[in-house]
Amino acid sequence: MKLDLDRIDVRILQELQQDSSLTNQELADRVGLSPSPCLRRVKALEESGIIDRKVTLLKRSELGLKLTAFVQISMDRHTPDRFSVFEEKVNSFPEVRSCNLVTGQNCDYLVEVVVEDMEKYHDFLLGQLTRIPGVSGVQSSFLLRSVKENTSLPLGHLM
Amino acid sequence: MKLDLDRIDVRILQELQQDSSLTNQELADRVGLSPSPCLRRVKALEESGIIDRKVTLLKRSELGLKLTAFVQISMDRHTPDRFSVFEEKVNSFPEVRSCNLVTGQNCDYLVEVVVEDMEKYHDFLLGQLTRIPGVSGVQSSFLLRSVKENTSLPLGHLM
DNA sequence: GAGTGTTTTGGAATAATATTGCTAAAATAA
DNA sequence: TTATTTTAGCAATATTATTCCAAAACACTC
């Protein structure tokens, strides 16, 4: 949060958030610039750290990943040791897409898990997640329908 | 879920999930192929629909987006009309990163909201979210620390 | 309001990379 | 083994990114 962005920078970020496979020429057209200054801005945004990285998103349904679970996890004690062990474990599980430590009375962590089916989820839950020391409460909700899935961040406040 | 993938395809997908800015040559090196067959496989994966799209991820902290909220939303009645109005609205809010209809006794929707600060969240909640007809219950948890944020899907089951 | 320094742009030349067609090799099946 | 199919690798071509330099826009001073 240091460099100031003008309208063109914000539009570049908006376009790239939606589609990073744009060529520099297409991007330049869309933001109303010629290729060279456009590329220079993109590089500057990468240098500045505003742009984190570029990734490819795959389709779950095409990969046989039919079950997504949202898991609320409570810990028995809130000690640094408990947390660090849990977090290390969670990071090593490819089934875990996201894990967030949150405020709230109900739970400590919100975890999103993607697996093939309910049987695999059962195995993961009992074989992996609940085996982590300190995990005292687990409550699962299952995805019925994805209404919105958006990797974009809001940029309206910059303009 | 139709085409069969061999080990090389899976490795290509794994690499691209992590970093889509790889050049085809680099990718070919990593998976042990020469550039042309590698590119052909990538194109085939795009054609097949397994690859959804490529996006650029930005850093929240660098954009002054200091508050992430996980919101549990309950609806008064479970009618198609209630749902479609809610979902249309939610899709129009840039602050909403994801919205999922889920099973569970506690709530109907899990929504992730990204804003600048608590004041902006307050405005969004009272001015937008709770104004949608049918929204009867709202419970917010706030992000304390992001432990894992991974756009990759697990592919281990394919091998 | 003209002049000066700074920043940003656009165009052209160059370099890197993607893309395609073709041939050979490898894998598969009979 | 042999025929058939699939896949890889090479080389030529096309596309795209990158760099450099002169011109334009902008801000600031006097």
Side-chain angles (χ1 to χ4, degrees), chain B residues 12 43 46 60 62 88 101 103 107 109 117 136 145:
Chain B
I12 287 175
K43 294 291 171 190
E46 284 168 355
R60 287 170 215 216
E62 299 293 318
E88 200 174 327
L101 182 68
T103 67
C107 71
Y109 290 107
D117 51 36
S136 65
R145 182 159 38 87

Side-chain angles (χ1 to χ4, degrees), chain A residues 71-74 78 83 87 99-111, chain B residues 66-72 113 118 121 139-147:
Chain A
V71 196
Q72 300 186 7
I73 292 179
S74 307
H78 294 177
F83 285 155
E87 293 178 10
C99 175
N100 293 292
L101 183 67
V102 298
T103 67
Q105 57 290 359
N106 295 325
C107 71
D108 298 306
Y109 289 107
L110 295 177
V111 179
Chain B
K66 295 184 290 294
L67 187 77
T68 299
F70 300 95
V71 196
Q72 299 187 7
V113 177
M118 190 56 84
Y121 182 67
Q139 193 179 52
S140 305
S141 297
F142 300 104
L143 176 66
L144 289 173
R145 182 159 38 87
S146 177
V147 174

